Amino acid sequence: MKKGVNLFVVIFIALLIGGSGGYYFGKSRINETPAPFPKLLAVIPSIYEARNLVNNSMGLLSASIRQGSMKLFYKNISGYWKARTNVKDLDRSFRRFISTKVDLTSLGKLKPVIVRRPCITRGGSLVIEGFYPTRPYRVIFRQRYRRENGKWKL
């Protein structure tokens, strides 16, 4: 029971921090008007494609941690995120992962569980939420992607 409660708390906190962002699936929640990004709605990935996006992103994170620098990760993120951060900031943010050599390579062998259908926020970001079924604790994720040159990037 305690593990279930802890998981609920982690998910609740993640949603509080991330906010709902006003998700759209084709029509808005207000007045049933079309979503502001109709072209993006046409390219919302399937669950299979969403799993691949998440696995690729986690693979880049894992490789960067093993290398001891977030250079590879930074190289592959969206221009939107690059304009708001740099390699030093990412190194600082992930310093505990790097210094303790957190090993995420096993995630590549698992299928992430997507807990909510991928959706587009009012700001035009694709949001994918879920977890990896690891034990004893799940690896929970909430990833945001931007569409650039026909591809989704963190």
Side-chain angles (χ1 to χ4, degrees), residues 27-84:
K27 292 199 174 205
S28 74
R29 293 181 289 191
I30 303 169
N31 299 337
E32 294 298 314
T33 55
F37 300 98
K39 289 182 181 179
L40 290 179
L41 290 173
V43 293
I44 292 177
S46 68
I47 296 296
Y48 174 78
E49 293 166 324
R51 284 185 186 128
N52 285 338
L53 282 171
V54 169
N55 273 338
N56 290 339
S57 298
M58 294 301 271
L60 288 168
L61 177 62
S62 177
S64 294
I65 291 168
R66 280 194 317 273
Q67 291 173 5
S69 170
M70 299 306 290
K71 287 179 189 173
L72 175 65
F73 188 76
Y74 181 82
K75 180 180 174 185
N76 289 281
I77 63 176
S78 67
Y80 180 84
W81 193 6
K82 283 180 181 174
R84 289 157 178 76

Short mmCIF file of all heavy atoms in Angstrom, two decimals, residues 27-84:
data_model
loop_
_atom_site.label_atom_id
_atom_site.label_comp_id
_atom_site.label_asym_id
_atom_site.label_seq_id
_atom_site.Cartn_x
_atom_site.Cartn_y
_atom_site.Cartn_z
N LYS A 27 -10.22 19.45 -30.39
CA LYS A 27 -11.10 20.56 -30.01
C LYS A 27 -10.69 20.98 -28.61
O LYS A 27 -10.25 20.17 -27.81
CB LYS A 27 -12.55 20.13 -30.01
CG LYS A 27 -13.05 19.83 -31.43
CD LYS A 27 -14.53 19.87 -31.47
CE LYS A 27 -14.97 19.71 -32.92
NZ LYS A 27 -16.23 20.27 -33.17
N SER A 28 -10.82 22.26 -28.33
CA SER A 28 -10.45 22.75 -27.02
C SER A 28 -11.52 22.41 -26.01
O SER A 28 -12.63 22.03 -26.37
CB SER A 28 -10.22 24.26 -27.05
OG SER A 28 -11.46 24.91 -27.15
N ARG A 29 -11.19 22.57 -24.75
CA ARG A 29 -12.16 22.34 -23.69
C ARG A 29 -13.10 23.53 -23.57
O ARG A 29 -14.13 23.42 -22.98
CB ARG A 29 -11.43 22.14 -22.37
CG ARG A 29 -10.63 20.86 -22.37
CD ARG A 29 -9.97 20.66 -21.06
NE ARG A 29 -8.89 21.65 -20.94
CZ ARG A 29 -7.98 21.62 -20.00
NH1 ARG A 29 -8.01 20.70 -19.09
NH2 ARG A 29 -7.04 22.54 -19.94
N ILE A 30 -12.73 24.66 -24.13
CA ILE A 30 -13.53 25.88 -24.02
C ILE A 30 -14.24 26.12 -25.34
O ILE A 30 -13.62 26.25 -26.38
CB ILE A 30 -12.64 27.09 -23.68
CG1 ILE A 30 -11.89 26.81 -22.39
CG2 ILE A 30 -13.46 28.36 -23.60
CD1 ILE A 30 -10.79 27.80 -22.09
N ASN A 31 -15.55 26.16 -25.32
CA ASN A 31 -16.39 26.47 -26.48
C ASN A 31 -16.24 25.50 -27.65
O ASN A 31 -16.68 25.80 -28.74
CB ASN A 31 -16.14 27.89 -26.98
CG ASN A 31 -16.45 28.92 -25.93
OD1 ASN A 31 -17.23 28.67 -25.01
ND2 ASN A 31 -15.85 30.08 -26.05
N GLU A 32 -15.58 24.40 -27.46
CA GLU A 32 -15.43 23.41 -28.52
C GLU A 32 -14.89 24.01 -29.82
O GLU A 32 -15.31 23.65 -30.91
CB GLU A 32 -16.76 22.68 -28.78
CG GLU A 32 -17.21 21.83 -27.63
CD GLU A 32 -16.26 20.71 -27.28
OE1 GLU A 32 -15.78 20.01 -28.19
OE2 GLU A 32 -15.96 20.54 -26.09
N THR A 33 -13.99 24.96 -29.73
CA THR A 33 -13.37 25.55 -30.92
C THR A 33 -12.15 24.73 -31.30
O THR A 33 -11.56 24.06 -30.46
CB THR A 33 -12.95 27.01 -30.67
OG1 THR A 33 -12.09 27.04 -29.53
CG2 THR A 33 -14.16 27.88 -30.44
N PRO A 34 -11.73 24.79 -32.55
CA PRO A 34 -10.56 24.02 -32.96
C PRO A 34 -9.32 24.42 -32.15
O PRO A 34 -9.18 25.57 -31.74
CB PRO A 34 -10.37 24.39 -34.44
CG PRO A 34 -11.70 24.88 -34.87
CD PRO A 34 -12.33 25.51 -33.66
N ALA A 35 -8.46 23.45 -31.93
CA ALA A 35 -7.22 23.70 -31.21
C ALA A 35 -6.36 24.67 -32.00
O ALA A 35 -6.47 24.76 -33.23
CB ALA A 35 -6.47 22.39 -31.00
N PRO A 36 -5.48 25.41 -31.31
CA PRO A 36 -4.69 26.43 -32.00
C PRO A 36 -3.59 25.90 -32.91
O PRO A 36 -2.99 26.65 -33.63
CB PRO A 36 -4.09 27.23 -30.83
CG PRO A 36 -4.10 26.31 -29.68
CD PRO A 36 -5.27 25.40 -29.88
N PHE A 37 -3.33 24.62 -32.88
CA PHE A 37 -2.25 24.04 -33.68
C PHE A 37 -2.77 22.88 -34.53
O PHE A 37 -2.34 21.74 -34.36
CB PHE A 37 -1.11 23.56 -32.77
CG PHE A 37 -0.51 24.66 -31.96
CD1 PHE A 37 -0.91 24.87 -30.65
CD2 PHE A 37 0.42 25.51 -32.51
CE1 PHE A 37 -0.37 25.89 -29.90
CE2 PHE A 37 0.96 26.55 -31.77
CZ PHE A 37 0.56 26.74 -30.46
N PRO A 38 -3.67 23.14 -35.47
CA PRO A 38 -4.26 22.04 -36.23
C PRO A 38 -3.24 21.22 -37.01
O PRO A 38 -3.40 20.02 -37.15
CB PRO A 38 -5.26 22.74 -37.16
CG PRO A 38 -4.88 24.17 -37.17
CD PRO A 38 -4.17 24.44 -35.88
N LYS A 39 -2.17 21.86 -37.49
CA LYS A 39 -1.16 21.09 -38.23
C LYS A 39 -0.43 20.12 -37.31
O LYS A 39 -0.08 19.02 -37.71
CB LYS A 39 -0.16 22.04 -38.91
CG LYS A 39 -0.75 22.80 -40.07
CD LYS A 39 0.27 23.67 -40.73
CE LYS A 39 -0.37 24.45 -41.87
NZ LYS A 39 0.56 25.32 -42.53
N LEU A 40 -0.19 20.53 -36.06
CA LEU A 40 0.46 19.63 -35.11
C LEU A 40 -0.46 18.49 -34.72
O LEU A 40 -0.01 17.37 -34.50
CB LEU A 40 0.91 20.40 -33.86
CG LEU A 40 2.07 21.36 -34.04
CD1 LEU A 40 2.38 22.07 -32.73
CD2 LEU A 40 3.30 20.64 -34.55
N LEU A 41 -1.75 18.77 -34.61
CA LEU A 41 -2.68 17.71 -34.25
C LEU A 41 -2.66 16.58 -35.26
O LEU A 41 -2.87 15.42 -34.92
CB LEU A 41 -4.09 18.27 -34.11
CG LEU A 41 -4.31 19.19 -32.92
CD1 LEU A 41 -5.69 19.82 -32.99
CD2 LEU A 41 -4.13 18.44 -31.62
N ALA A 42 -2.39 16.91 -36.50
CA ALA A 42 -2.34 15.90 -37.56
C ALA A 42 -1.14 14.98 -37.43
O ALA A 42 -1.13 13.91 -38.02
CB ALA A 42 -2.33 16.58 -38.93
N VAL A 43 -0.14 15.39 -36.65
CA VAL A 43 1.08 14.57 -36.54
C VAL A 43 1.32 14.06 -35.12
O VAL A 43 2.43 13.70 -34.78
CB VAL A 43 2.33 15.33 -37.04
CG1 VAL A 43 2.25 15.57 -38.54
CG2 VAL A 43 2.52 16.63 -36.30
N ILE A 44 0.28 14.01 -34.30
CA ILE A 44 0.45 13.43 -32.96
C ILE A 44 0.84 11.97 -33.17
O ILE A 44 0.17 11.23 -33.89
CB ILE A 44 -0.85 13.53 -32.14
CG1 ILE A 44 -1.14 14.99 -31.79
CG2 ILE A 44 -0.74 12.68 -30.86
CD1 ILE A 44 -2.42 15.20 -31.03
N PRO A 45 1.94 11.56 -32.56
CA PRO A 45 2.41 10.19 -32.79
C PRO A 45 1.50 9.14 -32.17
O PRO A 45 0.80 9.40 -31.18
CB PRO A 45 3.79 10.18 -32.12
CG PRO A 45 3.75 11.27 -31.13
CD PRO A 45 2.82 12.30 -31.66
N SER A 46 1.54 7.97 -32.76
CA SER A 46 0.83 6.83 -32.19
C SER A 46 1.52 6.43 -30.89
O SER A 46 2.64 6.91 -30.60
CB SER A 46 0.86 5.66 -33.17
OG SER A 46 2.20 5.18 -33.30
N ILE A 47 0.93 5.54 -30.13
CA ILE A 47 1.55 5.05 -28.90
C ILE A 47 2.90 4.38 -29.23
O ILE A 47 3.88 4.58 -28.53
CB ILE A 47 0.62 4.06 -28.16
CG1 ILE A 47 -0.65 4.77 -27.69
CG2 ILE A 47 1.34 3.39 -27.00
CD1 ILE A 47 -0.42 5.87 -26.66
N TYR A 48 2.93 3.64 -30.31
CA TYR A 48 4.17 2.98 -30.74
C TYR A 48 5.27 4.02 -31.02
O TYR A 48 6.40 3.90 -30.56
CB TYR A 48 3.91 2.12 -31.98
CG TYR A 48 5.15 1.52 -32.58
CD1 TYR A 48 5.75 0.39 -32.02
CD2 TYR A 48 5.76 2.09 -33.70
CE1 TYR A 48 6.90 -0.15 -32.55
CE2 TYR A 48 6.91 1.56 -34.25
CZ TYR A 48 7.47 0.43 -33.66
OH TYR A 48 8.62 -0.09 -34.20
N GLU A 49 4.91 5.07 -31.77
CA GLU A 49 5.88 6.13 -32.08
C GLU A 49 6.27 6.90 -30.82
O GLU A 49 7.44 7.27 -30.66
CB GLU A 49 5.29 7.10 -33.10
CG GLU A 49 5.08 6.48 -34.48
CD GLU A 49 4.20 7.33 -35.39
OE1 GLU A 49 3.25 7.96 -34.90
OE2 GLU A 49 4.49 7.34 -36.59
N ALA A 50 5.31 7.10 -29.92
CA ALA A 50 5.60 7.80 -28.66
C ALA A 50 6.61 6.99 -27.83
O ALA A 50 7.53 7.56 -27.25
CB ALA A 50 4.32 8.03 -27.87
N ARG A 51 6.43 5.69 -27.79
CA ARG A 51 7.40 4.83 -27.07
C ARG A 51 8.79 4.96 -27.66
O ARG A 51 9.78 5.03 -26.93
CB ARG A 51 6.95 3.37 -27.13
CG ARG A 51 5.81 3.04 -26.22
CD ARG A 51 5.52 1.54 -26.25
NE ARG A 51 4.35 1.26 -25.47
CZ ARG A 51 3.31 0.57 -25.91
NH1 ARG A 51 3.31 0.07 -27.14
NH2 ARG A 51 2.28 0.37 -25.13
N ASN A 52 8.87 5.01 -28.99
CA ASN A 52 10.18 5.17 -29.64
C ASN A 52 10.80 6.52 -29.29
O ASN A 52 12.01 6.59 -29.04
CB ASN A 52 10.05 5.01 -31.15
CG ASN A 52 9.88 3.57 -31.56
OD1 ASN A 52 10.24 2.65 -30.83
ND2 ASN A 52 9.31 3.36 -32.73
N LEU A 53 10.00 7.58 -29.29
CA LEU A 53 10.52 8.90 -28.91
C LEU A 53 11.08 8.87 -27.49
O LEU A 53 12.19 9.35 -27.24
CB LEU A 53 9.42 9.96 -28.99
CG LEU A 53 9.05 10.50 -30.35
CD1 LEU A 53 7.79 11.36 -30.27
CD2 LEU A 53 10.19 11.32 -30.93
N VAL A 54 10.32 8.30 -26.57
CA VAL A 54 10.75 8.23 -25.18
C VAL A 54 12.02 7.39 -25.06
O VAL A 54 12.98 7.80 -24.40
CB VAL A 54 9.63 7.66 -24.28
CG1 VAL A 54 10.14 7.32 -22.89
CG2 VAL A 54 8.46 8.64 -24.21
N ASN A 55 12.06 6.22 -25.70
CA ASN A 55 13.25 5.36 -25.63
C ASN A 55 14.47 6.06 -26.20
O ASN A 55 15.57 5.97 -25.64
CB ASN A 55 13.01 4.03 -26.35
CG ASN A 55 12.39 2.99 -25.46
OD1 ASN A 55 12.47 3.06 -24.23
ND2 ASN A 55 11.74 2.02 -26.07
N ASN A 56 14.30 6.77 -27.31
CA ASN A 56 15.43 7.49 -27.91
C ASN A 56 15.94 8.58 -26.98
O ASN A 56 17.14 8.75 -26.79
CB ASN A 56 15.05 8.07 -29.27
CG ASN A 56 14.87 7.01 -30.33
OD1 ASN A 56 15.38 5.89 -30.21
ND2 ASN A 56 14.13 7.33 -31.36
N SER A 57 15.01 9.33 -26.39
CA SER A 57 15.39 10.42 -25.47
C SER A 57 16.10 9.86 -24.24
O SER A 57 17.12 10.40 -23.80
CB SER A 57 14.16 11.22 -25.05
OG SER A 57 13.56 11.81 -26.16
N MET A 58 15.56 8.79 -23.68
CA MET A 58 16.19 8.19 -22.50
C MET A 58 17.54 7.57 -22.86
O MET A 58 18.47 7.59 -22.06
CB MET A 58 15.26 7.16 -21.88
CG MET A 58 13.99 7.75 -21.30
SD MET A 58 14.27 8.98 -20.02
CE MET A 58 14.30 7.92 -18.59
N GLY A 59 17.65 7.06 -24.08
CA GLY A 59 18.94 6.52 -24.54
C GLY A 59 20.00 7.60 -24.63
O GLY A 59 21.15 7.40 -24.26
N LEU A 60 19.62 8.77 -25.14
CA LEU A 60 20.55 9.91 -25.22
C LEU A 60 20.95 10.38 -23.82
O LEU A 60 22.11 10.68 -23.57
CB LEU A 60 19.92 11.06 -25.99
CG LEU A 60 19.79 10.87 -27.50
CD1 LEU A 60 18.89 11.94 -28.10
CD2 LEU A 60 21.16 10.89 -28.16
N LEU A 61 19.98 10.42 -22.92
CA LEU A 61 20.27 10.80 -21.54
C LEU A 61 21.23 9.80 -20.91
O LEU A 61 22.23 10.17 -20.30
CB LEU A 61 18.98 10.89 -20.73
CG LEU A 61 19.14 11.22 -19.25
CD1 LEU A 61 19.76 12.60 -19.07
CD2 LEU A 61 17.78 11.14 -18.55
N SER A 62 20.96 8.53 -21.10
CA SER A 62 21.81 7.47 -20.55
C SER A 62 23.24 7.55 -21.09
O SER A 62 24.21 7.47 -20.33
CB SER A 62 21.20 6.10 -20.88
OG SER A 62 22.01 5.07 -20.42
N ALA A 63 23.36 7.73 -22.41
CA ALA A 63 24.69 7.82 -23.02
C ALA A 63 25.45 9.04 -22.50
O ALA A 63 26.66 8.97 -22.23
CB ALA A 63 24.56 7.89 -24.54
N SER A 64 24.75 10.15 -22.33
CA SER A 64 25.39 11.37 -21.84
C SER A 64 25.87 11.20 -20.40
O SER A 64 26.95 11.65 -20.05
CB SER A 64 24.42 12.55 -21.93
OG SER A 64 24.15 12.83 -23.28
N ILE A 65 25.07 10.54 -19.59
CA ILE A 65 25.48 10.28 -18.20
C ILE A 65 26.72 9.41 -18.18
O ILE A 65 27.68 9.68 -17.45
CB ILE A 65 24.32 9.64 -17.40
CG1 ILE A 65 23.20 10.66 -17.20
CG2 ILE A 65 24.81 9.10 -16.06
CD1 ILE A 65 21.90 10.07 -16.68
N ARG A 66 26.74 8.36 -19.01
CA ARG A 66 27.92 7.47 -19.08
C ARG A 66 29.17 8.24 -19.53
O ARG A 66 30.27 7.97 -19.07
CB ARG A 66 27.66 6.30 -20.02
CG ARG A 66 26.84 5.19 -19.42
CD ARG A 66 26.88 3.90 -20.26
NE ARG A 66 26.75 4.10 -21.69
CZ ARG A 66 25.60 4.18 -22.36
NH1 ARG A 66 24.45 4.09 -21.73
NH2 ARG A 66 25.59 4.34 -23.66
N GLN A 67 28.99 9.21 -20.44
CA GLN A 67 30.12 10.00 -20.94
C GLN A 67 30.57 11.07 -19.96
O GLN A 67 31.64 11.66 -20.12
CB GLN A 67 29.76 10.65 -22.27
CG GLN A 67 29.60 9.68 -23.41
CD GLN A 67 29.07 10.33 -24.68
OE1 GLN A 67 28.91 11.55 -24.76
NE2 GLN A 67 28.80 9.52 -25.69
N GLY A 68 29.74 11.34 -18.95
CA GLY A 68 30.11 12.33 -17.94
C GLY A 68 29.86 13.77 -18.36
O GLY A 68 30.34 14.70 -17.73
N SER A 69 29.10 13.95 -19.44
CA SER A 69 28.78 15.29 -19.94
C SER A 69 27.48 15.22 -20.71
O SER A 69 27.19 14.23 -21.37
CB SER A 69 29.89 15.80 -20.85
OG SER A 69 29.47 16.98 -21.51
N MET A 70 26.73 16.31 -20.68
CA MET A 70 25.45 16.36 -21.38
C MET A 70 25.60 16.89 -22.81
O MET A 70 24.61 17.27 -23.44
CB MET A 70 24.47 17.20 -20.59
CG MET A 70 24.17 16.66 -19.20
SD MET A 70 23.62 14.94 -19.16
CE MET A 70 22.01 15.11 -19.89
N LYS A 71 26.82 16.88 -23.37
CA LYS A 71 27.05 17.40 -24.72
C LYS A 71 26.21 16.67 -25.77
O LYS A 71 25.58 17.30 -26.62
CB LYS A 71 28.53 17.29 -25.10
CG LYS A 71 29.40 18.29 -24.40
CD LYS A 71 30.86 18.09 -24.81
CE LYS A 71 31.76 18.95 -23.94
NZ LYS A 71 33.18 18.66 -24.18
N LEU A 72 26.22 15.35 -25.73
CA LEU A 72 25.45 14.56 -26.70
C LEU A 72 23.95 14.85 -26.56
O LEU A 72 23.25 15.04 -27.55
CB LEU A 72 25.71 13.07 -26.51
CG LEU A 72 24.89 12.12 -27.38
CD1 LEU A 72 25.25 12.31 -28.85
CD2 LEU A 72 25.11 10.68 -26.95
N PHE A 73 23.48 14.90 -25.34
CA PHE A 73 22.07 15.18 -25.07
C PHE A 73 21.71 16.56 -25.62
O PHE A 73 20.72 16.71 -26.34
CB PHE A 73 21.81 15.10 -23.56
CG PHE A 73 20.37 15.19 -23.17
CD1 PHE A 73 19.52 14.10 -23.34
CD2 PHE A 73 19.86 16.35 -22.62
CE1 PHE A 73 18.19 14.17 -22.97
CE2 PHE A 73 18.53 16.43 -22.25
CZ PHE A 73 17.69 15.34 -22.42
N TYR A 74 22.53 17.56 -25.30
CA TYR A 74 22.30 18.94 -25.75
C TYR A 74 22.25 19.02 -27.28
O TYR A 74 21.40 19.71 -27.85
CB TYR A 74 23.38 19.86 -25.21
CG TYR A 74 23.20 21.30 -25.61
CD1 TYR A 74 22.33 22.13 -24.93
CD2 TYR A 74 23.90 21.83 -26.69
CE1 TYR A 74 22.14 23.46 -25.30
CE2 TYR A 74 23.73 23.15 -27.07
CZ TYR A 74 22.85 23.96 -26.37
OH TYR A 74 22.68 25.26 -26.76
N LYS A 75 23.13 18.30 -27.92
CA LYS A 75 23.21 18.31 -29.39
C LYS A 75 21.89 17.86 -30.02
O LYS A 75 21.54 18.29 -31.11
CB LYS A 75 24.34 17.39 -29.84
CG LYS A 75 24.54 17.31 -31.32
CD LYS A 75 25.68 16.38 -31.65
CE LYS A 75 25.78 16.19 -33.16
NZ LYS A 75 26.79 15.20 -33.51
N ASN A 76 21.13 17.02 -29.32
CA ASN A 76 19.92 16.43 -29.87
C ASN A 76 18.61 17.02 -29.37
O ASN A 76 17.55 16.53 -29.73
CB ASN A 76 19.94 14.92 -29.62
CG ASN A 76 20.96 14.23 -30.47
OD1 ASN A 76 20.75 13.99 -31.65
ND2 ASN A 76 22.12 13.96 -29.88
N ILE A 77 18.66 18.07 -28.53
CA ILE A 77 17.42 18.67 -28.06
C ILE A 77 16.94 19.74 -29.04
O ILE A 77 17.67 20.15 -29.94
CB ILE A 77 17.57 19.26 -26.62
CG1 ILE A 77 18.59 20.39 -26.58
CG2 ILE A 77 17.86 18.16 -25.62
CD1 ILE A 77 18.71 21.09 -25.23
N SER A 78 15.73 20.20 -28.84
CA SER A 78 15.14 21.19 -29.75
C SER A 78 15.82 22.54 -29.64
O SER A 78 16.40 22.89 -28.61
CB SER A 78 13.65 21.35 -29.44
OG SER A 78 13.47 21.95 -28.17
N GLY A 79 15.73 23.30 -30.70
CA GLY A 79 16.24 24.67 -30.69
C GLY A 79 15.53 25.51 -29.63
O GLY A 79 16.13 26.40 -29.03
N TYR A 80 14.27 25.20 -29.41
CA TYR A 80 13.48 25.89 -28.39
C TYR A 80 14.15 25.73 -27.02
O TYR A 80 14.30 26.69 -26.28
CB TYR A 80 12.06 25.30 -28.38
CG TYR A 80 11.14 25.93 -27.37
CD1 TYR A 80 10.46 27.10 -27.66
CD2 TYR A 80 10.92 25.33 -26.14
CE1 TYR A 80 9.60 27.68 -26.74
CE2 TYR A 80 10.06 25.89 -25.22
CZ TYR A 80 9.40 27.07 -25.52
OH TYR A 80 8.55 27.63 -24.60
N TRP A 81 14.55 24.50 -26.69
CA TRP A 81 15.20 24.25 -25.40
C TRP A 81 16.63 24.77 -25.40
O TRP A 81 17.11 25.33 -24.42
CB TRP A 81 15.15 22.76 -25.07
CG TRP A 81 15.50 22.42 -23.65
CD1 TRP A 81 15.74 23.28 -22.62
CD2 TRP A 81 15.65 21.12 -23.09
NE1 TRP A 81 16.03 22.59 -21.47
CE2 TRP A 81 15.98 21.25 -21.73
CE3 TRP A 81 15.54 19.84 -23.64
CZ2 TRP A 81 16.20 20.17 -20.89
CZ3 TRP A 81 15.75 18.76 -22.79
CH2 TRP A 81 16.08 18.93 -21.44
N LYS A 82 17.33 24.61 -26.52
CA LYS A 82 18.72 25.10 -26.61
C LYS A 82 18.80 26.61 -26.35
O LYS A 82 19.77 27.09 -25.78
CB LYS A 82 19.31 24.79 -27.99
CG LYS A 82 19.72 23.37 -28.17
CD LYS A 82 20.29 23.14 -29.55
CE LYS A 82 20.68 21.69 -29.73
NZ LYS A 82 21.12 21.40 -31.09
N ALA A 83 17.77 27.34 -26.78
CA ALA A 83 17.76 28.79 -26.57
C ALA A 83 17.60 29.15 -25.09
O ALA A 83 17.86 30.27 -24.69
CB ALA A 83 16.63 29.42 -27.38
N ARG A 84 17.20 28.18 -24.28
CA ARG A 84 16.94 28.43 -22.87
C ARG A 84 17.93 27.76 -21.93
O ARG A 84 17.80 27.87 -20.71
CB ARG A 84 15.52 27.96 -22.53
CG ARG A 84 14.47 28.85 -23.14
CD ARG A 84 13.14 28.16 -23.31
NE ARG A 84 12.13 29.05 -23.86
CZ ARG A 84 12.04 29.44 -25.12
NH1 ARG A 84 12.95 29.03 -25.98
NH2 ARG A 84 11.10 30.25 -25.53
#
